[in-house]
Amino acid sequence: MGFQLWFYFILLIFLFCPTLQAAESQQVICGDEVCGNLTIPSPFGIHSSCYTHPFFRVTCKQIHNQKKPFIRINRFDLEVLGSLFEDTILIKNPVTYVNCDHKNEVASARVDLTGTPFFFSSDYNNFATVGCGNLVTIFRNEADAFGGCIQPICADGASESGCSNTISGNFTSTIVTMTAMYPIGKDDRKRCSSAFIFSRLYFRETYPLPIGINIETTHVPTTLSWNSSYCGDAGCEPRPGPISLNDEKSCGNVTFQYPFEIIDQEYPNGWFRVICKKTSNGRKMPFLNINGINLEILDFSFL
Protein backbone atom coordinates (compact mmCIF):
# COMPACT_ATOMS: atom_id res chain seq x y z
CA MET A 1 0.00 0.00 0.00
CA GLY A 2 2.80 2.40 0.94
CA PHE A 3 4.58 1.62 -2.34
CA GLN A 4 1.42 2.44 -4.34
CA LEU A 5 1.00 5.83 -2.62
CA TRP A 6 4.63 6.68 -3.28
CA PHE A 7 4.22 5.73 -6.96
CA TYR A 8 1.13 7.92 -7.36
CA PHE A 9 2.93 10.84 -5.68
CA ILE A 10 5.82 10.62 -8.14
CA LEU A 11 3.35 10.31 -11.05
CA LEU A 12 1.53 13.49 -9.96
CA ILE A 13 4.83 15.41 -9.84
CA PHE A 14 5.61 14.43 -13.45
CA LEU A 15 2.10 15.34 -14.56
CA PHE A 16 2.16 18.80 -12.97
CA CYS A 17 5.74 19.74 -13.90
CA PRO A 18 4.87 20.92 -17.46
CA THR A 19 2.00 23.03 -16.07
CA LEU A 20 4.27 24.66 -13.49
CA GLN A 21 6.93 25.32 -16.12
CA ALA A 22 4.37 26.87 -18.47
CA ALA A 23 3.06 29.14 -15.72
CA GLU A 24 6.61 30.19 -14.87
CA SER A 25 7.41 30.96 -18.53
CA GLN A 26 4.31 33.20 -18.73
CA GLN A 27 5.34 35.26 -15.72
CA VAL A 28 5.11 38.97 -16.46
CA ILE A 29 8.40 40.88 -16.45
CA CYS A 30 7.50 44.47 -15.60
CA GLY A 31 9.33 47.06 -17.64
CA ASP A 32 9.70 44.63 -20.55
CA GLU A 33 6.06 44.16 -21.56
CA VAL A 34 5.49 44.56 -25.30
CA CYS A 35 2.51 45.89 -27.24
CA GLY A 36 2.98 45.92 -31.00
CA ASN A 37 6.46 47.30 -31.61
CA LEU A 38 6.78 49.20 -28.30
CA THR A 39 8.29 48.03 -25.03
CA ILE A 40 6.38 49.47 -22.06
CA PRO A 41 8.68 50.74 -19.27
CA SER A 42 7.92 51.25 -15.58
CA PRO A 43 5.93 52.88 -14.04
CA PHE A 44 3.64 52.08 -16.99
CA GLY A 45 2.40 48.56 -17.44
CA ILE A 46 -0.18 46.33 -19.08
CA HIS A 47 -0.52 43.71 -16.32
CA SER A 48 -2.07 44.88 -13.03
CA SER A 49 1.10 43.97 -11.14
CA CYS A 50 3.24 46.27 -13.28
CA TYR A 51 1.66 49.75 -13.29
CA THR A 52 2.09 51.59 -10.00
CA HIS A 53 -1.11 53.67 -10.34
CA PRO A 54 -4.25 53.27 -12.50
CA PHE A 55 -3.19 56.39 -14.41
CA PHE A 56 -0.17 54.43 -15.71
CA ARG A 57 -2.19 51.48 -16.97
CA VAL A 58 -1.57 50.66 -20.64
CA THR A 59 -4.23 48.92 -22.74
CA CYS A 60 -3.02 46.99 -25.76
CA LYS A 61 -5.60 47.27 -28.54
CA GLN A 62 -5.89 45.61 -31.93
CA ILE A 63 -6.17 48.44 -34.50
CA HIS A 64 -6.27 47.50 -38.20
CA ASN A 65 -4.35 44.23 -37.77
CA GLN A 66 -1.77 45.93 -35.56
CA LYS A 67 -1.49 46.10 -31.78
CA LYS A 68 -1.14 49.60 -30.32
CA PRO A 69 -0.75 50.80 -26.70
CA PHE A 70 -3.13 53.35 -25.17
CA ILE A 71 -3.45 55.18 -21.86
CA ARG A 72 -6.83 56.47 -20.66
CA ILE A 73 -6.96 60.06 -19.37
CA ASN A 74 -10.26 61.54 -18.22
CA ARG A 75 -12.29 59.09 -20.34
CA PHE A 76 -10.16 59.75 -23.40
CA ASP A 77 -7.88 57.10 -24.94
CA LEU A 78 -4.50 58.41 -26.10
CA GLU A 79 -2.20 56.31 -28.26
CA VAL A 80 1.33 55.94 -26.90
CA LEU A 81 4.02 56.52 -29.53
CA GLY A 82 7.15 56.15 -27.40
CA SER A 83 9.35 58.09 -25.01
CA LEU A 84 12.51 60.14 -25.34
CA PHE A 85 13.52 61.05 -21.79
CA GLU A 86 12.74 60.04 -18.22
CA ASP A 87 9.38 61.25 -16.90
CA THR A 88 8.10 61.82 -20.45
CA ILE A 89 5.90 59.90 -22.83
CA LEU A 90 5.08 60.67 -26.46
CA ILE A 91 1.37 60.53 -27.31
CA LYS A 92 -0.79 61.03 -30.39
CA ASN A 93 -2.56 64.26 -29.43
CA PRO A 94 -5.67 65.60 -31.24
CA VAL A 95 -5.66 69.11 -32.71
CA THR A 96 -8.33 71.76 -32.05
CA TYR A 97 -10.34 73.16 -34.98
CA VAL A 98 -11.92 76.63 -35.13
CA ASN A 99 -14.40 77.88 -37.78
CA CYS A 100 -14.26 74.56 -39.60
CA ASP A 101 -17.76 73.30 -40.40
CA HIS A 102 -16.51 70.01 -41.80
CA LYS A 103 -14.42 69.36 -38.66
CA ASN A 104 -17.22 69.56 -36.08
CA GLU A 105 -16.86 65.90 -35.21
CA VAL A 106 -13.36 66.47 -33.78
CA ALA A 107 -13.70 70.04 -32.55
CA SER A 108 -14.28 68.87 -28.97
CA ALA A 109 -11.33 66.46 -28.92
CA ARG A 110 -9.21 68.70 -26.68
CA VAL A 111 -7.35 66.71 -24.00
CA ASP A 112 -7.82 67.87 -20.40
CA LEU A 113 -5.16 66.55 -18.00
CA THR A 114 -6.69 68.15 -14.88
CA GLY A 115 -6.73 65.80 -11.90
CA THR A 116 -4.12 63.45 -13.36
CA PRO A 117 -0.36 63.17 -12.81
CA PHE A 118 0.24 64.30 -16.40
CA PHE A 119 0.95 67.78 -17.75
CA PHE A 120 2.27 69.48 -20.88
CA SER A 121 5.68 71.07 -20.42
CA SER A 122 7.15 73.96 -22.39
CA ASP A 123 10.53 72.21 -22.01
CA TYR A 124 9.50 69.74 -24.73
CA ASN A 125 6.52 71.28 -26.57
CA ASN A 126 5.75 74.22 -28.86
CA PHE A 127 2.50 75.74 -30.08
CA ALA A 128 1.43 75.96 -33.73
CA THR A 129 -1.60 76.85 -35.80
CA VAL A 130 -2.61 76.30 -39.43
CA GLY A 131 -4.66 78.94 -41.19
CA CYS A 132 -4.59 82.45 -42.65
CA GLY A 133 -4.89 85.96 -41.24
CA ASN A 134 -5.83 85.17 -37.62
CA LEU A 135 -4.36 86.10 -34.27
CA VAL A 136 -4.31 82.78 -32.40
CA THR A 137 -3.93 82.84 -28.63
CA ILE A 138 -3.70 79.89 -26.24
CA PHE A 139 -4.87 80.25 -22.61
CA ARG A 140 -4.47 78.16 -19.49
CA ASN A 141 -7.81 79.59 -18.48
CA GLU A 142 -9.94 82.44 -19.78
CA ALA A 143 -7.52 85.10 -18.49
CA ASP A 144 -4.04 83.51 -18.53
CA ALA A 145 -2.54 83.64 -22.04
CA PHE A 146 0.82 81.90 -22.35
CA GLY A 147 1.39 81.57 -26.10
CA GLY A 148 0.21 82.51 -29.55
CA CYS A 149 1.12 83.89 -32.97
CA ILE A 150 -0.30 85.71 -36.00
CA GLN A 151 -0.96 83.68 -39.14
CA PRO A 152 0.30 85.26 -42.39
CA ILE A 153 -2.08 86.49 -45.07
CA CYS A 154 -2.98 83.90 -47.68
CA ALA A 155 -3.84 85.49 -51.02
CA ASP A 156 -6.47 83.95 -53.27
CA GLY A 157 -5.16 80.76 -54.74
CA ALA A 158 -2.21 80.57 -52.31
CA SER A 159 -1.55 77.48 -50.26
CA GLU A 160 -2.56 77.50 -46.61
CA SER A 161 -0.09 78.83 -44.14
CA GLY A 162 0.26 79.18 -40.39
CA CYS A 163 2.69 80.00 -37.61
CA SER A 164 4.37 78.45 -34.60
CA ASN A 165 5.90 79.76 -31.41
CA THR A 166 7.24 78.77 -28.02
CA ILE A 167 5.06 78.52 -24.93
CA SER A 168 5.87 79.24 -21.29
CA GLY A 169 5.48 77.09 -18.22
CA ASN A 170 3.52 73.90 -17.56
CA PHE A 171 -0.21 73.45 -18.12
CA THR A 172 -2.89 70.76 -17.96
CA SER A 173 -5.62 72.19 -20.21
CA THR A 174 -5.95 74.91 -22.83
CA ILE A 175 -8.46 77.24 -24.45
CA VAL A 176 -7.75 78.53 -27.97
CA THR A 177 -9.17 81.76 -29.39
CA MET A 178 -8.83 83.20 -32.90
CA THR A 179 -9.37 86.79 -34.01
CA ALA A 180 -9.36 87.81 -37.68
CA MET A 181 -6.55 90.30 -38.33
CA TYR A 182 -6.85 90.77 -42.10
CA PRO A 183 -9.62 90.48 -44.69
CA ILE A 184 -9.65 86.99 -46.14
CA GLY A 185 -10.93 87.82 -49.61
CA LYS A 186 -13.07 85.63 -51.80
CA ASP A 187 -12.01 82.32 -50.30
CA ASP A 188 -13.86 82.13 -46.97
CA ARG A 189 -12.71 78.55 -46.49
CA LYS A 190 -9.39 79.92 -45.30
CA ARG A 191 -11.13 81.05 -42.10
CA CYS A 192 -10.90 77.40 -41.10
CA SER A 193 -7.93 77.03 -38.76
CA SER A 194 -6.44 74.47 -36.42
CA ALA A 195 -4.26 74.81 -33.34
CA PHE A 196 -2.18 72.23 -31.50
CA ILE A 197 0.62 71.54 -29.06
CA PHE A 198 3.41 69.51 -30.68
CA SER A 199 6.64 67.93 -29.47
CA ARG A 200 9.61 69.85 -30.83
CA LEU A 201 11.74 66.79 -29.99
CA TYR A 202 9.90 64.87 -32.69
CA PHE A 203 9.75 67.45 -35.50
CA ARG A 204 12.66 69.16 -37.16
CA GLU A 205 12.06 72.85 -36.50
CA THR A 206 11.11 74.76 -39.62
CA TYR A 207 9.41 78.07 -40.34
CA PRO A 208 6.55 78.68 -40.21
CA LEU A 209 5.29 75.12 -39.51
CA PRO A 210 6.74 71.66 -38.92
CA ILE A 211 7.08 69.76 -42.20
CA GLY A 212 4.09 67.54 -42.93
CA ILE A 213 1.54 69.56 -40.93
CA ASN A 214 -1.52 70.93 -42.75
CA ILE A 215 -5.19 71.72 -42.16
CA GLU A 216 -6.11 68.04 -42.62
CA THR A 217 -3.77 66.93 -39.82
CA THR A 218 -5.97 65.58 -37.00
CA HIS A 219 -3.31 64.34 -34.54
CA VAL A 220 0.29 65.30 -33.77
CA PRO A 221 2.99 63.77 -31.53
CA THR A 222 3.02 65.62 -28.20
CA THR A 223 5.19 65.07 -25.13
CA LEU A 224 3.52 64.45 -21.76
CA SER A 225 5.40 64.77 -18.50
CA TRP A 226 4.18 63.41 -15.18
CA ASN A 227 4.51 63.97 -11.46
CA SER A 228 6.61 61.17 -9.98
CA SER A 229 4.77 61.36 -6.64
CA TYR A 230 1.97 59.34 -8.27
CA CYS A 231 4.31 56.37 -8.66
CA GLY A 232 3.76 55.24 -5.07
CA ASP A 233 5.68 55.31 -1.82
CA ALA A 234 8.74 53.73 -3.44
CA GLY A 235 8.74 56.30 -6.24
CA CYS A 236 9.21 55.60 -9.93
CA GLU A 237 11.47 52.72 -10.79
CA PRO A 238 14.59 53.64 -12.78
CA ARG A 239 13.78 53.58 -16.47
CA PRO A 240 16.11 51.91 -18.94
CA GLY A 241 16.11 54.94 -21.23
CA PRO A 242 13.87 55.38 -24.27
CA ILE A 243 11.18 52.89 -25.22
CA SER A 244 12.96 50.71 -27.74
CA LEU A 245 11.52 49.15 -30.87
CA ASN A 246 11.96 45.46 -31.42
CA ASP A 247 13.09 45.84 -35.02
CA GLU A 248 16.30 47.46 -36.15
CA LYS A 249 16.98 49.23 -39.45
CA SER A 250 20.26 49.58 -41.26
CA CYS A 251 21.83 51.89 -43.81
CA GLY A 252 25.18 50.76 -45.08
CA ASN A 253 27.20 49.49 -42.12
CA VAL A 254 25.24 51.48 -39.51
CA THR A 255 22.30 49.92 -37.62
CA PHE A 256 19.74 52.16 -35.89
CA GLN A 257 17.16 51.75 -33.16
CA TYR A 258 14.33 53.93 -31.88
CA PRO A 259 13.90 56.91 -31.90
CA PHE A 260 15.77 57.06 -35.22
CA GLU A 261 13.92 56.11 -38.40
CA ILE A 262 15.25 55.62 -41.90
CA ILE A 263 13.51 57.07 -44.94
CA ASP A 264 14.50 57.43 -48.58
CA GLN A 265 13.66 61.12 -48.93
CA GLU A 266 15.79 64.21 -49.04
CA TYR A 267 13.74 66.13 -46.47
CA PRO A 268 12.71 64.11 -43.40
CA ASN A 269 9.86 65.13 -41.07
CA GLY A 270 11.69 64.99 -37.76
CA TRP A 271 14.98 65.35 -35.94
CA PHE A 272 15.41 61.58 -35.81
CA ARG A 273 14.72 60.78 -39.47
CA VAL A 274 17.81 59.25 -41.08
CA ILE A 275 18.35 59.88 -44.80
CA CYS A 276 19.82 56.81 -46.47
CA LYS A 277 21.72 57.89 -49.62
CA LYS A 278 23.45 55.91 -52.32
CA THR A 279 26.92 57.06 -53.32
CA SER A 280 28.36 56.95 -56.83
CA ASN A 281 29.91 53.53 -56.16
CA GLY A 282 26.56 52.07 -55.01
CA ARG A 283 27.28 52.14 -51.28
CA LYS A 284 24.61 53.36 -48.84
CA MET A 285 25.49 56.08 -46.32
CA PRO A 286 23.26 57.51 -43.53
CA PHE A 287 22.82 61.26 -42.91
CA LEU A 288 20.95 63.55 -40.51
CA ASN A 289 19.62 66.83 -41.89
CA ILE A 290 20.17 69.51 -39.24
CA ASN A 291 19.24 73.08 -40.14
CA GLY A 292 19.62 72.32 -43.85
CA ILE A 293 23.01 70.61 -43.54
CA ASN A 294 23.39 66.85 -44.13
CA LEU A 295 25.72 65.32 -41.54
CA GLU A 296 27.05 61.84 -42.24
CA ILE A 297 26.51 59.33 -39.40
CA LEU A 298 29.51 57.10 -38.82
CA ASP A 299 28.16 54.94 -36.00
CA PHE A 300 25.20 54.55 -33.67
CA SER A 301 25.38 53.43 -30.04
CA PHE A 302 22.22 52.78 -28.03
CA LEU A 303 22.98 53.32 -24.33
Side-chain angles (χ1 to χ4, degrees), residues 119-186:
F119 59 91
F120 299 105
S121 172
S122 60
D123 291 339
Y124 307 111
N125 298 298
N126 279 9
F127 169 74
T129 174
V130 178
C132 299
N134 295 296
L135 166 63
V136 186
T137 309
I138 182 170
F139 296 82
R140 288 187 183 88
N141 50 55
E142 294 183 359
D144 185 12
F146 66 102
C149 58
I150 299 178
Q151 302 166 346
I153 300 175
C154 291
D156 293 342
S159 60
E160 63 195 14
S161 186
C163 59
S164 63
N165 210 336
T166 58
I167 50 181
S168 60
N170 301 329
F171 54 99
T172 57
S173 63
T174 60
I175 300 172
V176 175
T177 64
M178 293 191 184
T179 305
M181 297 293 291
Y182 312 104
I184 293 299
K186 298 178 181 179

Side-chain angles (χ1 to χ4, degrees), residues 215-271:
I215 196 63
E216 298 301 327
T217 301
T218 59
H219 293 75
V220 294
T222 306
T223 302
L224 287 188
S225 302
W226 69 81
N227 185 344
S228 60
S229 63
Y230 281 80
C231 296
D233 296 336
C236 297
E237 297 180 13
R239 296 177 55 171
I243 297 177
S244 59
L245 299 182
N246 293 330
D247 60 328
E248 295 181 339
K249 296 182 179 180
S250 299
C251 177
N253 296 325
V254 182
T255 301
F256 299 90
Q257 295 179 0
Y258 182 87
F260 289 88
E261 298 177 280
I262 296 178
I263 62 172
D264 294 322
Q265 300 179 29
E266 182 67 21
Y267 299 102
N269 289 342
W271 286 105

Side-chain angles (χ1 to χ4, degrees), residues 74-89:
N74 290 341
R75 297 178 295 179
F76 201 92
D77 289 332
L78 298 175
E79 182 182 345
V80 178
L81 301 177
S83 181
L84 298 176
F85 298 105
E86 291 186 1
D87 296 339
T88 68
I89 191 169

Side-chain angles (χ1 to χ4, degrees), residues 6-286:
W6 180 251
F7 173 78
Y8 285 125
F9 177 73
I10 295 176
L11 182 62
L12 287 173
I13 290 178
F14 277 104
L15 289 175
F16 279 101
C17 271
T19 304
L20 294 174
Q21 290 175 354
E24 184 178 353
S25 64
Q26 296 176 0
Q27 185 178 2
V28 176
I29 302 177
C30 298
D32 291 331
E33 296 175 292
V34 175
C35 177
N37 59 359
L38 290 180
T39 299
I40 312 301
S42 299
F44 294 86
I46 299 173
H47 193 270
S48 58
S49 62
C50 290
Y51 54 86
T52 58
H53 192 282
F55 282 122
F56 299 109
R57 178 185 179 185
V58 174
T59 303
C60 194
K61 295 184 178 183
Q62 189 80 21
I63 308 293
H64 302 303
N65 298 323
Q66 183 180 3
K67 289 186 176 180
K68 296 183 178 182
F70 291 82
I71 57 174
R72 191 167 183 81
I73 298 179
N74 290 341
R75 297 178 295 179
F76 201 92
D77 289 332
L78 298 175
E79 182 182 345
V80 178
L81 301 177
S83 181
L84 298 176
F85 298 105
E86 291 186 1
D87 296 339
T88 68
I89 191 169
L90 198 66
I91 62 162
K92 194 174 182 180
N93 199 38
V95 307
T96 300
Y97 289 97
V98 178
N99 297 333
C100 301
D101 294 337
H102 65 294
K103 297 290 186 179
N104 286 338
E105 68 277 7
V106 294
S108 61
R110 182 171 58 92
V111 175
D112 186 357
L113 307 176
T114 305
T116 76
F118 301 103
F119 59 91
F120 299 105
S121 172
S122 60
D123 291 339
Y124 307 111
N125 298 298
N126 279 9
F127 169 74
T129 174
V130 178
C132 299
N134 295 296
L135 166 63
V136 186
T137 309
I138 182 170
F139 296 82
R140 288 187 183 88
N141 50 55
E142 294 183 359
D144 185 12
F146 66 102
C149 58
I150 299 178
Q151 302 166 346
I153 300 175
C154 291
D156 293 342
S159 60
E160 63 195 14
S161 186
C163 59
S164 63
N165 210 336
T166 58
I167 50 181
S168 60
N170 301 329
F171 54 99
T172 57
S173 63
T174 60
I175 300 172
V176 175
T177 64
M178 293 191 184
T179 305
M181 297 293 291
Y182 312 104
I184 293 299
K186 298 178 181 179
D187 195 354
D188 290 336
R189 290 184 299 107
K190 285 186 167 51
R191 287 290 186 192
C192 176
S193 298
S194 65
F196 49 91
I197 303 297
F198 70 96
S199 175
R200 65 170 175 266
L201 303 174
Y202 183 87
F203 289 99
R204 181 167 62 90
E205 290 187 32
T206 57
Y207 180 83
L209 290 170
I211 293 177
I213 298 296
N214 54 59
I215 196 63
E216 298 301 327
T217 301
T218 59
H219 293 75
V220 294
T222 306
T223 302
L224 287 188
S225 302
W226 69 81
N227 185 344
S228 60
S229 63
Y230 281 80
C231 296
D233 296 336
C236 297
E237 297 180 13
R239 296 177 55 171
I243 297 177
S244 59
L245 299 182
N246 293 330
D247 60 328
E248 295 181 339
K249 296 182 179 180
S250 299
C251 177
N253 296 325
V254 182
T255 301
F256 299 90
Q257 295 179 0
Y258 182 87
F260 289 88
E261 298 177 280
I262 296 178
I263 62 172
D264 294 322
Q265 300 179 29
E266 182 67 21
Y267 299 102
N269 289 342
W271 286 105
F272 301 99
R273 299 295 176 90
V274 177
I275 307 168
C276 194
K277 289 186 173 183
K278 280 188 177 180
T279 60
S280 56
N281 58 7
R283 291 181 54 198
K284 289 186 176 181
M285 300 175 64

